[in-house]
Every structure is written in C-alpha cells, then in structure tokens.
Amino acid sequence: MNTLFSPMVIGRWSFPNRIVMPPMVRYTLNGRDGRVTNRSIEHYRDAAASTGLVIVEATAVAENAKLHANMLGLWCDEQIDGMRRLAEAIHETGAAAMIQLCYAGLCSRDPSSIALGPSPEYFDTTRLSRAAAIEEIQEIEALHAAAALRAMEAGFDGIELHATHGYFNCRFLDAVSNRRTDRYAGGSAQGRTRIVTETLAAIRKKVGDQMLLSVRIGCNMPDFFTAQENLLEIVKAPLDLIHFSRGTVMPAADPSIPPDFPCNTVVYHSAKLARLSPVPVILSNEIRTPGQAQYLIQNGFCDFAAVGRGILADPHWARKASSGDEGTIDRCYSCADCQWRIDPSRCPAALRRNAHRR
C-alpha cells in the first residue's frame, strides 16, 4: 500500500515522497521584467524542503501573455539564468522541479490590450476580448514550446501546461466559453481539446524525452461530463502526469460525497476522473492537512497530493508531516483573499508563528 511518504518513480525521475507544492503565483517576490529574484529563490528553497515535487508558479510564455506585471516569464533567453538558479535551489532540497507555462488570455489584467479568448466575449464590465485567429493560436502553441526549451536549458525536470482557472487554454476546454465553429470548436471534445493536445505535442517535439510533461485541467469544464470527455481526448497526447484542479469557476458542492471523504467537491470529482487516467495523477484544491493527503494516497485516489496554501502558511509543512509533528504545523486560516500572496508578513499563520517566538 502506498503512503504519503512512499517514493515514486516516473521514467528516469524519482520522487522521495508524494507531496507536491503546486504552482501558486506570488507577484510580490518577482521582478517586473519576468525575472527571478533572490526573494523568489529563498521562498522556493524554504517551501521545497521535504517535498517530493515542486511546480513553479504560472510562468508567461510571452510578454503580452502575463496575468500581472510581476509575473515570472520564459519568453526570452535572458530569463534563463535566473530560472537556472531557481531550479538549482529546488534540487538542493531533494525535490524534483517542474514549471507551469501559461498564456493569460482572458485573465490578463493589462487594460491597454484586448485579451484573446476562444470566442468574442467580455471578461468583465471594463474589459473587451476577441476571438483568437487560427494563426494566433498556432503562434501561442509555438511560444509554449519555445519556453519549454528554455526551461530545459535552465535545468527543470518537467513542464506543466496550464489549462485551468480561466486562462487561455482553459477557456477552449470550457464548452460555455468556447463557441467556435472551426477546428478548435467547443461543440466536440476533439475540437475543445485540440489546442491542448497540439501544444503538448509541440513541447514534446522540442524537448524529447528529456523532460516530464504534465497538464493541469479542471474537473468541471463546465461540468463533470464535459471534463470527462476532455480527459479522454487529452490522454491521447504524449503525457507523463495529469494534474486535476477546478475549471474556470468552482463547482457547486456535491451532496453525494461520502461523509468520510475528507476533501471538497473539486478533489472528489477529480478523484473520479483519475480512475480514467493511464498516467499518474496529482490531486489539488484545499488539501491542507497531512491526514487529508494521506487518505487520498493510501486509498488509491491519486499518486501525488498537492498542498498549496498549507505550505504557504507553514513552509515546514512537509518536514513536520514526515516526522509525525502534524500538531505543530501552523495551519492555513483559509482567508478569502490569501494574505500571504498579498504580503507574507500579513498571513495569520505567520503572525501566529512570530508571536510564539517572542
């Protein structure tokens, strides 16, 4: 029986345990030119300790693909050196290092440009978007492949393609937002997923078998049935891992979840999708305690459990969990707006930890 602390092997990559630090953007630590800063490196070095895998936060594949001015980037060779230092810092802890590549699309906060999406629609009341032309879609796919090649040069072990949370790729997978009628049409699973399968194939062509390749997709696109259709198409691509999360929005609470299941609807629906995956699976979304993570691994719901805000709240989460000191973990308070991402010193867990030191 696998446990949270049993090793895992995928191809030539070894993971000391099943704990994943998932991609979580934290703009206050990054430079405005998309480059890694010393603060970014220290954050990942601390948080990576005792984890099996770290997936570096959403990283833009083009300067106009950023969600935020201070978003990390891999759109030019000048960003490779900083990324190399970041990968090395993660590897020093014994964890494997992957990086998530993304194109913001309708999630972009740049008011000076018209955001690209699959179909003409408004992102909010002040933001106009337009449908991406086929030539633009193919250019964006190529940008991902070029960024992946830079990540390989920087020493990362793998790439995760971001296709959740409302970003560009996610909107194509969502049958509500994708109303196209061409080869990327949202009316069929093959059309909806084409941008993802083509991008994964383009990345694989660039990096060969020298990197792990993963995709993060939603369990509700916009519903479970559509997500299942999407998955069955996506797994035809050259993949090593699947990472499940929510789609564009959070799904409604599912009253049919068994009372002994310790996680939320996203994790429960993702666990059902995981049964269909021919490759190892990462589950994520509000997995905060070692007990939750252990339950998922031990009962065969997934191969890896991603602990996001739990690790932000206590960078020693994995070490404490592995040593049996679960009671000493500084718990996440589940703030509606994560205070750590706004300013780490404002995180209630950090404030509580610092108060105990006085």
Side-chain angles (χ1 to χ4, degrees):
M1 178 184 296
N2 291 323
T3 68
L4 186 59
F5 303 103
S6 58
M8 177 77 180
V9 175
I10 301 176
R12 60 188 179 85
W13 289 273
S14 298
F15 307 86
N17 58 57
R18 310 303 181 92
I19 302 170
V20 174
M21 178 183 173
M24 296 175 287
V25 288
R26 49 196 67 76
Y27 308 121
T28 56
L29 303 182
N30 306 324
R32 294 185 68 85
D33 55 1
R35 301 195 194 193
V36 173
T37 66
N38 288 333
R39 293 180 66 203
S40 303
I41 292 170
E42 288 306 311
H43 163 67
Y44 277 101
R45 179 182 287 117
D46 289 344
S50 300
T51 62
L53 169 63
V54 171
I55 306 175
V56 171
E57 65 201 83
T59 299
V61 299
E63 191 166 11
N64 65 352
K66 294 191 292 184
L67 169 65
H68 187 279
N70 287 62
M71 190 174 191
L72 288 179
L74 265 175
W75 63 78
C76 66
D77 291 349
E78 288 72 23
Q79 293 161 330
I80 294 174
D81 285 344
M83 286 293 186
R84 181 178 291 112
R85 292 172 57 213
L86 181 54
E88 289 172 351
I90 295 170
H91 285 147
E92 286 171 4
T93 71
M98 296 181 68
I99 189 165
Q100 186 185 72
L101 300 181
C102 81
Y103 192 97
L106 297 176
C107 288
S108 171
R109 297 178 187 173
D110 181 0
S112 65
S113 64
I114 297 177
L116 295 179
S119 309
E121 62 180 2
Y122 282 89
F123 175 47
D124 57 34
T125 57
T126 63
R127 188 66 194 280
L128 186 66
S129 68
R130 68 172 176 83
I134 286 182
E135 294 77 12
E136 291 172 311
I137 292 172
Q138 293 170 343
E139 179 183 354
I140 290 168
E141 292 173 354
L143 288 170
H144 279 84
L149 193 59
R150 294 187 185 100
M152 185 172 71
E153 186 174 341
F156 281 93
D157 300 298
I159 298 296
E160 178 173 277
L161 177 62
H162 198 353
T164 52
H165 305 169
Y167 286 79
F168 185 72
N169 293 313
C170 174
R171 299 283 180 154
F172 279 78
L173 295 178
D174 194 323
V176 169
S177 58
N178 185 349
R179 299 188 295 273
R180 300 178 73 97
T181 57
D182 57 14
R183 61 197 301 263
Y184 298 96
S188 71
Q190 187 177 43
R192 285 195 304 273
T193 60
R194 191 182 302 278
I195 189 169
V196 169
T197 57
E198 286 183 350
T199 302
L200 291 170
I203 292 173
R204 181 63 81 198
K205 186 175 180 179
K206 282 283 187 181
V207 304
D209 61 357
Q210 300 304 301
M211 300 189 86
L212 288 164
L213 191 51
S214 176
V215 63
R216 196 179 201 190
I217 58 175
C219 67
N220 56 315
M221 299 300 297
D223 50 46
F224 180 82
F225 177 75
T226 306
Q228 182 174 280
E229 285 189 329
N230 290 345
L231 173 65
L232 294 177
E233 286 295 325
I234 288 172
V235 294
K236 297 175 184 177
L239 278 173
D240 300 298
L241 274 168
I242 294 271
H243 187 175
F244 289 109
S245 183
R246 65 169 175 84
T248 306
V249 298
M250 284 289 290
D254 185 346
S256 70
I257 296 177
D260 62 338
F261 190 80
C263 300
N264 66 12
T265 298
V266 172
V267 179
Y268 181 68
H269 286 184
S270 297
K272 292 201 294 182
L273 288 175
R275 299 171 186 164
L276 305 175
S277 175
V279 297
V281 165
I282 304 171
L283 294 188
S284 66
N285 200 273
E286 298 182 1
I287 301 170
R288 304 281 167 79
T289 70
Q292 288 174 308
Q294 173 73 350
Y295 179 94
L296 294 172
I297 300 296
Q298 192 165 321
N299 287 281
F301 289 108
C302 60
D303 302 279
F304 296 93
V307 181
R309 289 199 193 184
I311 288 177
L312 291 185
D314 191 337
H316 303 294
W317 190 99
R319 178 184 60 77
K320 291 177 180 179
S322 64
S323 60
D325 296 330
E326 180 175 350
T328 67
I329 292 176
D330 292 303
R331 68 178 178 87
C332 172
Y333 286 78
S334 302
C335 303
D337 292 320
C338 179
Q339 295 300 298
W340 197 101
R341 296 188 188 188
I342 298 170
D343 179 353
S345 67
R346 290 170 52 178
C347 174
L351 291 171
R352 179 176 179 270
R353 185 163 55 248
N354 293 334
H356 286 172
R357 289 173 180 169
R358 296 192 184 105

